[in-house]
């Protein structure tokens, strides 16, 4: 069975703070699982939050941890496995969105706007559940194929 590469590796690494912070080569999705198990450094969370214009409160809601917990982390301290996996999933979503919309800024604008196909909700409101991610990912596929629902 051939290992499937993820789309584009460099974008995901940049979203999570670059090679210096990740400090690991990402060749396929299984590497992401290992990174999540080891835990991402808090620097990766800060870098992603800054690039996608999310506050600590928004990140805390998405990661299902308290804002105070995020504030207590040292820069080099590692997040737990679940928070790391959620952070990777968020970065992968933004990677897909950047590819679909052509730029991170345009996708971020869409994420923060009220989308009729999502019942008038902002996509950012759906990021606290895996079903929310699936709905957003499906919408991105529709947009990519020119099918606006």
């Amino acid at each position: 069975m051939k290992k499937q590469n993820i789309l584009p590796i460099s974008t995901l690494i940049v979203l999570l703070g670059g090679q210096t912070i990740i400090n690991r080569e990402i060749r396929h999705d299984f590497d992401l699982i290992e990174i999540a198990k080891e835990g991402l450094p808090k620097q990766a969370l800060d870098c992603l939050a800054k690039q996608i214009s999310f506050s600590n409160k928004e990140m805390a809601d998405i990661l299902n941890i308290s804002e105070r917990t995020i504030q207590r982390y040292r820069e080099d301290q590692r997040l737990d496995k679940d928070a790391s996996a959620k952070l990777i999933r968020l970065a992968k979503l933004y990677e897909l969105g950047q590819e679909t919309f052509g730029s991170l800024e345009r996708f971020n604008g869409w994420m923060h706007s009220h989308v009729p196909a999502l019942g008038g909700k902002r996509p950012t409101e759906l990021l606290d559940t895996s079903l929310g991610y699936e709905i957003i990912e499906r919408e991105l596929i529709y947009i990519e194929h020119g099918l606006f629902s």
Side-chain angles (χ1 to χ4, degrees), residues 11 25-26 34 37 43 60 63 65 75 77 88 91 108:
T11 302
E25 184 179 348
I26 302 173
E34 289 305 313
K37 286 180 179 181
Q43 292 171 303
L63 300 178
I65 57 178
E75 287 300 307
Q77 189 174 354
I88 289 168
N108 205 26

Side-chain angles (χ1 to χ4, degrees), residues 86 89 126-137:
K86 288 175 183 178
R89 183 155 194 198
L126 306 176
L127 294 174
D128 58 347
T129 66
S130 60
L131 183 56
Y133 275 91
E134 291 172 21
I135 290 168
I136 294 167
E137 289 163 352

Side-chain angles (χ1 to χ4, degrees), residues 95-107:
E95 175 184 62
L96 177 61
Q98 180 176 347
E99 183 177 288
T100 301
F101 279 82
S103 77
L104 193 57
E105 294 77 24
R106 287 178 54 200
F107 177 62

Side-chain angles (χ1 to χ4, degrees), residues 13-66:
I13 291 172
V14 168
L15 286 169
L16 293 171
Q19 193 64 44
T20 306
I21 292 174
I22 300 300
N23 199 24
R24 186 173 178 147
E25 184 179 348
I26 302 173
R27 297 176 312 266
H28 45 76
D29 286 338
F30 295 112
D31 291 327
L32 294 174
I33 292 170
E34 289 305 313
I35 289 169
K37 286 180 179 181
E38 293 168 6
L40 284 167
K42 184 189 181 262
Q43 292 171 303
L45 183 153
D46 293 339
C47 187
L48 180 60
K50 182 177 180 183
Q51 291 183 75
I52 65 176
S53 303
F54 276 29
S55 67
N56 274 348
K57 168 89 174 89
E58 290 170 309
M59 293 302 289
D61 290 344
I62 291 167
L63 300 178
N64 197 28
I65 57 178
S66 74

